[in-house]
Amino acid sequence: MTHYPSTGRQYLPAAGSLRIDNVRPYGEGEPVSVLVEDGTITQLGKVSAAADTVIDGGGNVLLPGLVDMHVHLREPGREDTETIESGSRAAAKGGFTAVYTMANTSPVTDQPIIAESVWAKSQALGLCDVHPVGSITKGLEGKTLTEFGMMARSDAKVRMFSDDGKCVQDPQLMRRALEYAKGLDVLLAQHAEDHRMTDGACAHEGATAAKLGLRGWPRVAEESIVIRDALLARDYGNRVHICHASTTGTVELLKWAKDQGIPLTAEVTPHHLMLTDDKLVTYDGVFRVNPPLREEHDTLALRQALLDGVIDCVSTDHAPHGAEDKCVEFENAKPGMLGLESSLAVVAKIFVESGLADWRFVARVMSEKPAEITRTPDHGRPIAVGEPANLTIVDPKHAWTSDSAKLESKSENNPYEGEEFSAHVTHTFLRGNLTYKLEK
Ligand code: DOR
Ligand code: ZN
């Protein structure tokens, strides 16, 4: 047993030793070797030591294992669409070593026992650390706060609370949640949507929705909650994390809040970085998502905000849904898209292949920052001697075409079907254990 003191948890690391040859940490410099013993990096550089297992990294990019602070693995309740196991396999294939699964399960994760069962299952599987997110309100009903303390102190050590899927609409309840969270140093993540403005809405309020006859979700429904929560964070002194930022206005408000020193953080999804509401013209339910796909200027503002650090990180909001909920009239389709198996390729395409940023940036926004915001100390760590071997190897030039039939996820609501990408994960390691390998 290795005990990483930072978490207080015990993990079973890989028994024995592993040598990964011919990899370039952060895509920089000449290829090196990494020696991993009992789940920890013990040598880095020119390594001559023998090892039980030797893997040739093919000269590819070595990154810290990716961390996704926003997924929906649907267990308990909708195991027909995703389970901890299928979601963990999808995560490992996407290069992730830790994910946070949202509380809008059935039953809702509003008690320690549900959180503990999610965590225990993920640890028994050993494919990815699946951290349960607790709900802010009982049953996601927006009325009564859950017992943050009991969930935080449970074996699941819940460190993030969110009613994601729904917004905590009542400002007084959000204020009380902030005060409660502050004492425990847990994070509140807000799904920013004033539901009074989005009743019946299924698309971004704009020219496309008007043309298609779809009811619109205005930007202000998101932005009004972002500014409200920024002011609550300022006055009641605790962190708030904004889920899936989607508008140019949200970017402006985040910048304002950060300039004031307000402890607000934010994420953006790969689909809001890549896709716009033009996709809706076929009325394909796969493109229904909350918040909705917006317009080009929003996409460009979100990209720039991520580059500038105004938005802290990328989260997939991986939201599996079955065909019965997606292959229906657009307004009846459930909102949500898959993301775990494509996010690295999407981010690489937009930022690395375009020359806007490098692999250090990818490591920052997809691993280090989300680990920092969630205080997940064993992940998002530097690639260095003494650190846990949570690692991902990426081939930046492995041409592939997105194909829903080849996904590890149990669902097929993949918005990138037929899209061509270059970057692909070749190996993922969780504490030195191989959790994914690309079959050539
Ligand atoms: O599109 C979405 N799907 N947005 C959310 O906030 C919830 C999610 C889901 O659970 O399907
Ligand atoms: Zn979500």
Side-chain angles (χ1 to χ4, degrees):
M1 268 297 186
T2 294
H3 185 201
Y4 296 113
S6 43
T7 56
R9 283 205 184 98
Q10 290 195 312
Y11 295 107
L12 269 181
S17 57
L18 160 75
R19 203 178 75 217
I20 308 169
D21 288 338
N22 199 16
V23 280
R24 296 167 56 239
Y26 309 100
E28 294 166 1
E30 291 303 310
V32 296
S33 294
V34 183
L35 187 68
V36 176
E37 290 171 289
D38 297 334
T40 299
I41 300 174
T42 53
Q43 289 186 45
L44 185 66
K46 215 168 153 4
V47 178
S48 48
D52 301 335
T53 311
V54 177
I55 286 175
D56 178 12
N60 291 319
V61 177
L62 182 68
L63 296 179
L66 307 182
V67 177
D68 191 342
M69 61 183 290
H70 188 154
V71 303
H72 299 265
L73 300 190
R74 305 298 188 213
E75 186 176 347
R78 286 304 303 264
E79 290 85 350
D80 55 317
T81 60
E82 200 77 290
T83 59
I84 310 280
E85 177 163 1
S86 64
S88 295
R89 287 193 195 287
K93 183 174 168 192
F96 293 91
T97 50
V99 300
Y100 282 75
T101 187
M102 284 294 175
N104 65 340
T105 45
S106 181
V108 171
T109 308
D110 57 7
Q111 302 175 43
I113 184 114
I114 303 167
E116 283 171 344
S117 96
V118 169
W119 174 253
K121 273 188 189 169
S122 94
Q123 292 310 288
L125 285 163
L127 292 164
C128 181
D129 288 346
V130 181
H131 294 271
V133 176
S135 67
I136 295 175
T137 68
K138 287 189 184 151
L140 300 179
E141 284 173 357
K143 298 203 172 78
T144 317
L145 296 182
T146 58
E147 299 272 6
F148 297 176
M150 271 166 53
M151 284 192 268
R153 282 190 291 269
S154 74
D155 285 350
K157 298 211 168 17
V158 178
R159 60 183 78 238
M160 190 197 327
F161 292 84
S162 179
D163 274 8
D164 178 64
K166 289 189 183 168
C167 182
V168 180
Q169 190 83 48
D170 178 344
Q172 181 68 349
L173 197 67
M174 190 62 186
R175 171 209 167 155
R176 294 287 179 230
L178 270 166
E179 290 171 326
Y180 186 8
K182 187 177 182 183
L184 295 162
D185 195 27
V186 292
L187 179 69
L188 297 186
Q190 179 69 289
H191 170 115
E193 172 181 359
D194 189 326
H195 295 290
R196 293 164 299 191
M197 299 191 79
T198 60
D199 191 26
C202 60
H204 164 65
E205 185 182 279
T208 303
K211 203 157 53 193
L212 300 178
L214 300 172
R215 185 157 326 160
W217 211 113
R219 292 186 181 90
V220 61
E222 172 172 310
E223 294 157 3
S224 55
I225 299 292
V226 172
I227 191 64
R228 182 201 77 178
D229 284 2
L231 298 175
L232 287 172
R234 181 192 68 186
D235 291 356
Y236 300 103
N238 195 18
R239 310 178 280 151
V240 175
H241 178 78
I242 301 296
C243 297
H244 37 54
S246 74
T247 76
T248 304
T250 290
V251 167
E252 287 163 1
L253 295 171
L254 289 169
K255 181 165 177 358
W256 175 83
K258 289 195 167 186
D259 286 348
Q260 311 297 305
I262 296 171
L264 206 61
T265 55
E267 66 189 30
V268 60
T269 68
H271 48 270
H272 288 108
L273 288 168
M274 176 102 154
L275 308 173
T276 62
D277 65 351
D278 296 352
K279 288 281 181 193
L280 272 51
V281 295
T282 59
Y283 291 98
D284 184 342
V286 163
F287 297 106
R288 180 165 180 197
V289 66
N290 278 351
L293 298 178
R294 305 272 185 197
E295 296 178 50
E296 194 183 9
H297 74 79
D298 300 288
T299 306
L300 296 176
L302 292 166
R303 291 180 186 183
Q304 193 57 46
L306 192 65
L307 286 166
D308 295 343
V310 170
I311 289 178
D312 300 85
C313 66
V314 173
S315 304
T316 65
D317 196 6
H318 177 84
H321 288 294
E324 72 285 5
D325 287 319
K326 277 300 197 183
C327 302
V328 293
E329 303 80 1
F330 192 83
E331 54 270 40
N332 291 328
K334 283 200 176 163
M337 304 177 161
L338 299 184
L340 281 170
E341 296 173 64
S342 49
S343 53
L344 181 86
V346 170
V347 170
K349 187 169 187 162
I350 297 171
F351 294 101
V352 183
E353 290 154 33
S354 64
L356 284 173
D358 56 14
W359 290 103
R360 282 257 171 204
F361 168 81
V362 177
R364 185 164 84 244
V365 299
M366 294 191 76
S367 175
E368 294 161 6
K369 272 284 179 180
E372 191 185 305
I373 294 167
T374 50
R375 313 240 162 113
T376 319
D378 298 334
H379 294 266
R381 300 289 308 159
I383 300 172
V385 169
E387 297 288 351
N390 296 319
L391 299 166
T392 294
I393 306 177
V394 184
D395 181 347
K397 295 210 167 70
H398 177 94
W400 64 283
T401 306
S402 181
D403 177 354
S404 304
K406 293 188 182 157
L407 296 170
E408 291 290 344
S409 172
K410 282 184 118 178
S411 294
E412 295 192 357
N413 53 316
N414 165 27
Y416 307 108
E417 179 69 26
E419 185 87 31
E420 292 182 358
F421 293 106
S422 295
H424 204 295
V425 171
T426 65
H427 302 76
T428 305
F429 303 91
L430 177 64
R431 291 180 281 281
N433 286 301
L434 184 67
T435 54
Y436 171 73
K437 182 175 184 299
L438 174 65
E439 299 302 338
K440 300 251 162 128

